[in-house]
């Protein structure tokens, strides 16, 4: 039968209420999609045609037009297992680089990244390569994919006006500190940061 591919126009979040008819095994990166042809473990092809880009988690499902469910299963992929005495500190450094991280009680899992591996080893972590499914924090609910730092963009609007008189000297600096203390700096130090004798 060579008709059009079955379509999945929506997803259903796990845990599923009905038994799926098949499953599709996907890596973490592949689980962020809007429109894509996929093939199930049983060999059936279908077209995911969603209204917006969605991040799928292990245990979610595509809903086909006939109502049947295709379960999503996280595929084993190349990861780094990070262990050490100060996991919260290590997790902070990973999060500071906007890197997806699967947090467990005695270890952290991240995608393989040689630069990050060296940095973590330098902080005293034990880093080992593993092949496992990757289900990081925030990965299953759409906009949770390490996109939180994008919200900083909205903070810049309020500060642009107060820095106009600085002739751009502090512009890069202001962005780096916008979240923590630019409010106090703007009013207190104004133009003193470059050592100009204004008094």
């Amino acid at each position: 039968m060579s008709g059009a591919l079955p379509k999945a126009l929506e997803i259903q979040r796990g845990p599923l209420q009905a038994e799926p008819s098949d499953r599709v095994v996907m890596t973490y990166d592949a689980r962020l999609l809007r429109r894509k042809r996929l093939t199930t473990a049983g060999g059936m092809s279908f077209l995911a045609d969603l209204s917006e880009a969605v991040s799928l988690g292990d245990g979610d499902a595509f809903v086909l037009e006939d109502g049947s469910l295709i379960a999503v299963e996280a595929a084993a992929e190349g990861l780094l297992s990070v262990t050490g005495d100060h996991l919260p500190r290590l997790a902070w450094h990973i999060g500071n680089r906007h890197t997806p991280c699967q947090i467990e009680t005695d270890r952290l899992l991240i995608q393989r990244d040689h630069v990050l591996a060296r940095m973590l080893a330098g902080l005293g972590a034990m880093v080992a390569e593993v092949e496992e499914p990757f289900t990081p924090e925030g990965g299953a609910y759409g906009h949770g994919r390490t996109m939180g730092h994008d919200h900083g963009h909205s903070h810049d609007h309020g500060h642009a006006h107060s820095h106009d008189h600085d002739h751009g000297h502090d512009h890069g600096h202001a962005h780096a500190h916008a979240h923590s203390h630019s409010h106090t700096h703007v009013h207190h130090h104004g133009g003193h940061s470059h050592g100009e004798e204004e008094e």
Side-chain angles (χ1 to χ4, degrees):
M1 189 162 116
S2 60
L5 287 176
K7 278 187 182 180
L9 302 177
E10 58 182 299
I11 60 163
Q12 189 175 116
R13 296 297 185 188
L16 304 177
Q17 304 303 311
E19 189 69 26
S21 60
D22 208 337
R23 63 194 172 90
V24 60
V25 182
M26 307 171 74
T27 64
Y28 174 69
D29 288 337
R31 295 197 307 269
L32 178 63
L33 77 163
R34 190 193 76 77
R35 194 170 194 276
K36 189 174 184 180
R37 178 181 173 143
L38 299 168
T39 302
T40 67
M44 184 192 82
S45 293
F46 69 97
L47 179 67
D49 191 7
L50 308 174
S51 59
E52 61 182 358
V54 170
S55 179
L56 295 157
D58 184 70
D60 292 341
F62 291 98
V63 183
L64 298 183
E65 290 172 302
D66 65 1
S68 59
L69 301 177
I70 306 295
V72 174
E73 183 178 314
E77 54 187 295
L79 304 173
L80 295 177
S81 171
V82 181
T83 56
D85 293 334
H86 303 289
L87 279 187
R89 177 170 168 258
L90 297 173
W92 183 89
H93 281 283
I94 292 169
N96 199 41
R97 294 173 70 98
H98 307 297
T99 297
C101 181
Q102 181 174 329
I103 300 171
E104 299 181 354
T105 53
D106 58 351
R107 68 171 184 170
L108 308 171
L109 285 175
I110 58 173
Q111 290 171 310
R112 288 184 186 173
D113 180 324
H114 297 302
V115 174
L116 197 51
R118 280 197 298 271
M119 182 196 81
L120 291 166
L123 292 168
M126 297 289 291
V127 182
E129 292 189 350
V130 296
E131 292 270 343
E132 295 184 31
F134 188 42
T135 55
E137 298 297 306
Y141 298 101
H143 304 298
R145 282 201 179 224
T146 66
M147 296 179 192
H149 60 286
D150 290 344
H151 297 309
H153 183 72
S154 61
H155 294 296
D156 296 339
H157 301 305
H159 300 298
H161 303 295
S162 59
H163 286 294
D164 283 347
H165 61 277
D166 284 344
H167 309 294
H169 292 228
D170 286 342
H171 201 63
H173 190 72
H175 283 281
H177 295 284
H179 300 298
S180 49
H181 39 68
S182 84
H183 285 294
T184 49
H185 278 337
V186 168
H187 301 298
H188 217 32
H189 298 300
H192 296 284
S193 56
H194 291 282
E196 306 269 279
E197 299 268 348
E198 294 182 17
E199 294 178 10

